Amino acid sequence: MSFYITTPIYYVSDVPHIGHAYTTIVCDTLARYHRLRGHKTGFLSGTDEHGLKIARMAEERGMQPKAYADKIAEAYRSSWKALEISNDDFIRTTDADHEALVQELWKTLEKNGDIYLGHYEGWYCVPCEQFYTEKELVDGNCQVHKKPVEKVREESYYFRLSKYQDALLQHIDANPRFILPESRKNEVRAFIAQGLDDLSVSRTSFTWGVPVPGRDNHVIYVWIDALSNYWTATRRKTQLEGLWDEGVEVVHMIGKEISRFHAVFWPAILMAAGIRLPTTVFCHGWWTVDGEKMSKTAGNVIDPLKLASDISVDALRYFVLREVPLGADGDFNHEAFLQRYNSELANDLGNLVNRTLGMVTKYALTPASASTSPFNLAAAFDAYARALDDFQPSKALEALWALVREGNTYIDQKAPWKPESPRVEILGNVLELCRVLSHLLEPFMPERALAMRDQLGVDEPTAWPAWQPRSFSPRVGTPLFPRVEEDRKKELLERWRPHKKAAAAVEEKADGLISFEEFGKLDLRVAEVVAAEAVPKAKKLLKLTVDLGGERRQVVAGIAGAYEPSALIGRKVIFVANLKPATIRGVESQGMILAAGEAEILGLSALDRDVPAGTKVR
Ligand code: ME8
């Protein structure tokens, strides 16, 4: 059997958070499981780098899009390494071979008559350079700029999505594992059944993307470029080559919010190109944090690397895999994380290994396992494999913990500390159970599983385990999962709390009021403009140098529509002196001057009598 699993390719909009890490850890576990079974296995992750949004983000930072993407892609790569992710390839949509293959796919679709030139008509926001649907507008205004949008017609290529409506429904009905879980399948099915429109698949309003072959003023819609990655990665010279062939189990693991792209658009494109479809699109649920949606503005974004370094990578992997059945939504709670760590890892599993090794050392035994096991291994193996074949890592862990508990109960009942007990036999049986567990645990906790084998004194590579008579040369090492004691727990929860505090602050602001303390955080000063000039290629911007009574700052202000640079010299304005510096159009801005209005109708803040530059404004 061959197995190929993919994560979504992540936008290079920011470094990864716990949500991105989650999908990737799930895929890693499934890939490692299939390797353990001896299947030919491929595992792909990567980054999605084209499109207007990314181009804008780069521009805001004064960077070229590729240079900006390089930076974030690297952060993904190194984070995956730190989280023990064993992907065989990392694809970036800016890879030249990917871009060439996307164009090849486009040509095939065109040749097959499924792409045609038409016009896209929609509501266009000029400052956003973007189309919006009626629903996305608020009172006819763009939500970002709060300004009226224009009805614009733009030339666009279309993909004949409507033609594939029936074929998609038939495929879904004939393949019960095509969209999982069932609830998501029903949603997607209902969406298709209500009728599909053709899909606009090119843009002329920006250039950061893969050009349409032969029509360079069009770029290919970012989702076609992105979805193709799963297939293009199997067509380059890597370990993934050939993994899109018939007969391979191809699995796309994604968050539920992008199910339509993966289970409607992508299979239709593949049908049109005459390429096989993925076997399964698995749409998992979303993590919230302490019951709230995770977002930068709420200040509750969870950094997986921080948790991993405070406890351990494997503890984090275990928690996210065990806490929520794959497919359901989950809530990340720091206390629950420590609670599971202490009870299931430190107490159940850690204790089984530690006390066994402790007794073997204490009594100076050289135990060996017998040819049969007193534990119910066959049932556990079966439940474990069935769960992972069905994309249910949490159930597989439950099956393993049933064994762990069996092991602990066995020790309690057999009481090998009693001199009259057959110690060598009892402990030999438990050591063998631990050895078997170390293999089955490896997909979930690769590093700790190896540490476990090391402590058992069995030097053997990863393999699908079988109970076999063998001898051990165990040694007591540091505990596999040291307990987090109360003091440390308090300290960690306190350390992790800033997320919660920030979230609470946002809640307070719900009434629109800020406290006096919050206002006091602003360092407002009188500033005198000492130099002013235009910013090249930015009609609205001026670069000013202001004097704060000895200290000089450079600041970019959007006031060029209302003021000539020369008219500003010598004026005193109110200045925000403790704003984080930002780069605007490649120019660093080290503060902000206060003004009212915009474009031509704009007035600068001013004082009604002369006050020295640098004076604090309250
Ligand atoms: O959508 N809980 O990229 P993206 C669980 N580039 N999973 C989460 C999550 C959360 N709170 N937040 C993010 C894109 N994820 C496109 C995909 S694929 C051809 C193109 C995970 O950076 C989840 O897997 O927004 C989700 O689908 C993905 O990150 C979105 O990542």
Side-chain angles (χ1 to χ4, degrees):
M1 178 197 172
S2 301
F3 180 79
Y4 173 41
I5 189 160
T6 63
T7 72
I9 45 170
Y10 303 107
Y11 287 129
V12 285
S13 38
D14 210 340
V15 299
H17 61 53
I18 193 81
H20 307 114
Y22 176 59
T23 318
T24 314
I25 291 170
V26 168
C27 289
D28 185 65
T29 299
L30 294 170
R32 284 177 188 270
Y33 161 69
H34 281 277
R35 289 191 200 113
L36 197 66
R37 302 300 312 253
H39 302 154
K40 178 175 160 54
T41 302
F43 170 21
L44 177 71
S45 188
T47 40
D48 188 355
E49 307 186 359
H50 287 132
L52 187 62
K53 225 175 14 185
I54 304 298
R56 282 259 169 79
M57 299 189 93
E59 191 181 307
E60 276 163 21
R61 288 159 181 79
M63 292 173 86
Q64 288 302 316
K66 180 62 168 51
Y68 168 66
D70 284 349
K71 214 173 98 185
I72 307 282
E74 195 41 49
Y76 267 93
R77 265 209 178 109
S78 59
S79 300
W80 288 174
K81 221 180 201 154
L83 296 173
E84 301 172 64
I85 303 301
S86 62
N87 50 307
D88 298 300
D89 193 10
F90 187 94
I91 193 165
R92 301 179 53 184
T93 50
T94 51
D95 290 343
D97 47 8
H98 167 79
E99 292 186 354
L101 284 159
V102 170
Q103 290 186 319
E104 192 186 293
L105 180 67
W106 177 282
K107 283 194 223 154
T108 309
L109 297 175
E110 207 166 23
K111 195 176 80 218
N112 294 351
D114 280 335
I115 285 205
Y116 63 92
L117 191 60
H119 282 89
Y120 186 86
E121 200 175 81
W123 296 105
Y124 192 71
C125 170
V126 182
C128 290
E129 292 178 48
Q130 202 176 327
F131 283 101
Y132 287 107
T133 61
E134 197 96 36
K135 264 195 260 156
E136 288 169 317
L137 304 176
V138 178
D139 299 333
N141 289 340
C142 143
Q143 289 192 37
V144 181
H145 294 88
K146 317 260 184 282
K147 280 187 182 162
V149 289
E150 297 167 27
K151 188 129 208 186
V152 170
R153 248 165 84 84
E154 186 189 276
E155 193 181 71
S156 170
Y157 283 97
Y158 278 83
F159 169 64
R160 290 190 203 281
L161 181 64
S162 56
K163 183 173 149 187
Y164 293 94
Q165 182 172 331
D166 292 340
L168 284 168
L169 289 175
Q170 274 165 23
H171 187 82
I172 291 171
D173 294 341
N175 296 277
R177 277 167 71 93
F178 180 54
I179 306 171
L180 290 173
E182 187 79 14
S183 55
R184 297 273 102 80
K185 176 174 99 179
N186 296 340
E187 248 171 45
V188 169
R189 207 190 177 289
F191 170 73
I192 301 171
Q194 115 208 326
L196 294 176
D197 293 331
D198 289 350
L199 188 67
S200 159
V201 288
S202 78
R203 295 284 184 271
T204 54
S205 47
F206 61 93
T207 55
W208 179 237
V210 182
V212 167
R215 288 296 293 268
D216 280 2
N217 59 328
H218 285 252
V219 293
I220 297 176
Y221 176 43
V222 67
W223 269 100
I224 293 211
D225 165 12
L227 289 160
S228 311
N229 90 85
Y230 305 129
W231 170 78
T232 63
T234 65
R235 312 248 313 179
R236 25 190 224 179
K237 293 263 163 271
T238 67
Q239 275 184 9
L240 303 180
E241 208 179 2
L243 282 174
W244 206 273
D245 292 353
E246 288 299 335
V248 177
E249 181 176 348
V250 175
V251 176
H252 298 324
M253 185 60 61
I254 58 166
K256 64 183 180 181
E257 84 291 355
I258 50 178
S259 56
R260 214 171 269 184
F261 295 97
H262 284 78
V264 183
F265 301 167
W266 177 228
I269 290 166
L270 289 169
M271 282 176 180
I275 302 173
R276 63 153 287 183
L277 307 196
T279 319
T280 298
V281 175
F282 194 104
C283 317
H284 69 63
W286 264 50
W287 284 92
T288 49
V289 176
D290 299 327
E292 287 179 50
K293 191 168 184 271
M294 201 172 15
S295 78
K296 254 194 167 164
T297 35
N300 61 352
V301 174
I302 293 200
D303 175 0
L305 298 186
K306 196 160 142 201
L307 292 176
S309 75
D310 282 341
I311 304 290
S312 76
V313 174
D314 283 351
L316 177 68
R317 290 175 60 115
Y318 173 81
F319 177 73
V320 293
L321 292 165
R322 176 66 187 80
E323 178 77 355
V324 182
L326 195 69
D329 289 333
D331 186 48
F332 195 97
N333 174 282
H334 292 98
E335 281 185 48
F337 173 40
L338 292 179
Q339 164 68 25
R340 261 195 202 281
Y341 176 81
N342 271 345
S343 74
E344 289 157 29
L345 293 177
N347 282 5
D348 293 345
L349 177 62
N351 202 21
L352 177 72
V353 179
N354 284 338
R355 65 175 171 157
T356 307
L357 295 180
M359 283 185 276
V360 170
T361 317
K362 184 171 165 196
Y363 304 128
L365 308 173
T366 40
S369 54
S371 56
T372 55
S373 171
F375 305 108
N376 197 354
L377 283 182
F381 276 24
D382 196 45
Y384 171 91
R386 208 157 358 99
L388 288 174
D389 290 340
D390 284 344
F391 310 103
Q392 286 305 323
S394 63
K395 275 202 181 142
L397 285 172
E398 276 172 35
L400 293 188
W401 256 250
L403 274 185
V404 169
R405 292 190 182 118
E406 242 187 271
N408 276 323
T409 311
Y410 175 78
I411 297 180
D412 295 343
Q413 286 170 353
K414 298 280 174 186
W417 46 87
K418 290 191 180 151
E420 70 278 13
S421 66
R423 268 183 197 153
V424 176
E425 185 198 315
I426 300 168
L427 294 172
N429 280 336
V430 183
L431 285 174
E432 176 63 3
L433 174 67
C434 291
R435 186 188 70 84
V436 166
L437 279 170
S438 79
H439 285 288
L440 296 176
L441 281 168
E442 191 162 320
F444 299 86
M445 299 189 280
E447 190 273 332
R448 290 288 79 189
L450 286 182
M452 204 165 146
R453 281 214 282 287
D454 190 44
Q455 294 197 0
L456 296 171
V458 283
D459 178 18
E460 59 185 1
T462 303
W464 185 244
W467 183 269
Q468 52 182 266
R470 56 180 306 140
S471 57
F472 295 89
S473 45
R475 48 183 190 78
V476 184
T478 46
L480 290 169
F481 302 100
R483 238 190 110 72
V484 176
E485 302 298 348
E486 274 312 302
D487 284 357
R488 170 100 175 117
K489 190 170 154 184
K490 269 198 206 123
E491 181 195 321
L492 285 173
L493 289 175
E494 190 52 43
R495 174 123 53 101
W496 293 334
R497 202 171 308 279
H499 303 294
K500 286 191 184 168
K501 263 194 198 151
V506 169
E507 232 167 61
E508 267 172 34
K509 281 188 201 130
D511 60 4
L513 301 177
I514 60 166
S515 67
F516 188 71
E517 286 74 32
E518 277 175 293
F519 172 71
K521 285 185 196 155
L522 283 175
D523 185 13
L524 299 175
R525 302 270 169 175
V526 176
E528 182 175 346
V529 180
V530 293
E533 60 182 276
V535 174
K537 288 198 223 139
K539 272 194 282 181
K540 293 183 198 155
L541 303 181
L542 291 184
K543 180 171 104 180
L544 309 179
T545 307
V546 298
D547 180 81
L548 296 179
E551 186 193 347
R552 292 207 160 177
R553 296 276 187 91
Q554 169 179 301
V555 55
V556 177
I559 57 172
Y563 291 91
E564 284 297 324
S566 58
L568 294 167
I569 313 291
R571 284 185 74 130
K572 286 188 172 155
V573 291
I574 296 176
F575 185 74
V576 186
N578 60 344
L579 193 67
K580 229 185 221 164
T583 305
I584 303 168
R585 297 287 174 122
V587 184
E588 190 179 38
S589 183
Q590 304 155 331
M592 188 168 94
I593 60 172
L594 297 186
E598 52 196 324
E600 296 96 64
I601 307 171
L602 180 142
L604 282 179
S605 55
L607 296 151
D608 69 351
R609 63 186 55 171
D610 200 26
V611 176
T615 306
K616 197 161 169 52
V617 178
R618 291 176 233 263

